Amino acid sequence: MAIPVVGLTGGIGSGKSAAADRFAELGVPVVDTDSIAHLLTGPGGAAMAAIERAFGPSALAGDGSLDRAAMRARVFADPGERHRLEAILHPAIHAESVRQLAAASGDYAVLVVPLLFESNRYLPLLARTLAVDCREEVQVERVMRRSGLSAEAVRAIMAAQLPREQRLSRADDVIDNSGGLAELRLQVDAKHSYYLENLVKALL
């Protein structure tokens, strides 16, 4: 029998990765769709042949991986290009996520999906949903600090994601990451205890 899955999401800069890292430290299997996407679009990645056929050699970097900067510019400039790329990547990412979850062992697993509520693709896999949240100004500050993007660029990315209020209203559980890493880890620990008690009990 498959183990229960918690879907972990949050806006850019919210702290999803830090939360996922803590779940992993606690021994929870973590499947990250962003990591899968990088694997599929890396040198020799399973999606690269289809991407080259769809977009031509200019979509590839010198090592055969996806030229992320060039592709980012193309998909932001043309929604049609974005849909073409998504039509290649999204089914492949979903299939690999399902495969990894099926192979996972433990009391429950965590599936990290940044755009969890923007698409209903992953919701049927989940027993619970968990959103990592912080104030929007904190998101902007964090992303600017780590990536060098301007505030306008960060807000443009945020505008393409589900509004914070809608994400929070749809999530079963929420972690407030407006504070520091220590506070985040304590909240993950509390959620871990809750999931062990409630998700596992539901299977008995």
Side-chain angles (χ1 to χ4, degrees):
M1 181 170 56
I3 61 177
V5 181
V6 175
L8 176 63
T9 193
I12 186 172
S14 62
K16 292 183 301 297
S17 295
D21 289 346
R22 180 56 182 163
F23 276 112
E25 289 175 6
L26 293 169
V28 180
V30 174
V31 176
D32 189 328
T33 55
D34 272 352
S35 297
I36 291 172
H38 278 78
L39 186 67
L40 293 170
T41 57
M48 289 312 302
I51 289 173
E52 184 174 10
R53 285 195 299 271
F55 296 97
S58 62
L60 276 63
D63 62 357
S65 66
L66 181 68
D67 186 332
R68 300 183 193 287
M71 186 56 70
R72 191 178 299 117
R74 286 176 72 163
V75 300
F76 268 103
D78 184 347
E81 294 283 84
R82 177 169 62 84
H83 293 315
R84 287 173 67 205
L85 181 63
E86 290 175 346
I88 296 169
L89 286 179
H90 285 187
I93 294 169
H94 182 270
E96 178 61 18
S97 299
V98 170
R99 188 195 69 77
Q100 291 189 20
L101 289 171
S105 61
D107 292 308
Y108 70 97
V110 167
L111 176 64
V112 186
V113 187
L115 302 179
L116 179 64
F117 297 123
E118 285 82 346
S119 164
N120 292 325
R121 186 183 297 267
Y122 292 93
L123 294 178
L125 304 174
L126 307 177
R128 301 283 294 181
T129 56
L130 171 61
V132 182
D133 180 62
C134 64
R135 299 187 311 277
E136 291 185 354
E137 58 268 29
V138 176
Q139 286 181 260
V140 173
E141 179 187 328
R142 285 176 179 160
V143 179
M144 288 176 63
R145 189 167 60 241
R146 80 181 185 205
S147 67
L149 292 173
S150 67
E152 293 74 18
V154 178
R155 291 194 179 277
I157 295 171
M158 291 168 61
Q161 299 180 336
L162 198 69
R164 179 187 179 197
E165 296 77 14
Q166 292 186 38
R167 186 184 304 113
L168 292 177
S169 70
R170 295 188 64 180
D172 295 315
D173 308 308
V174 175
I175 284 177
D176 179 4
N177 189 30
S178 297
L181 181 60
E183 294 174 39
L184 172 70
R185 290 165 66 89
L186 286 173
Q187 292 182 71
V188 171
D189 291 0
K191 288 292 186 287
H192 176 59
S193 297
Y194 174 81
Y195 295 144
L196 287 177
E197 175 69 18
N198 291 275
L199 294 182
V200 177
K201 181 189 294 184
L203 295 177
L204 300 178

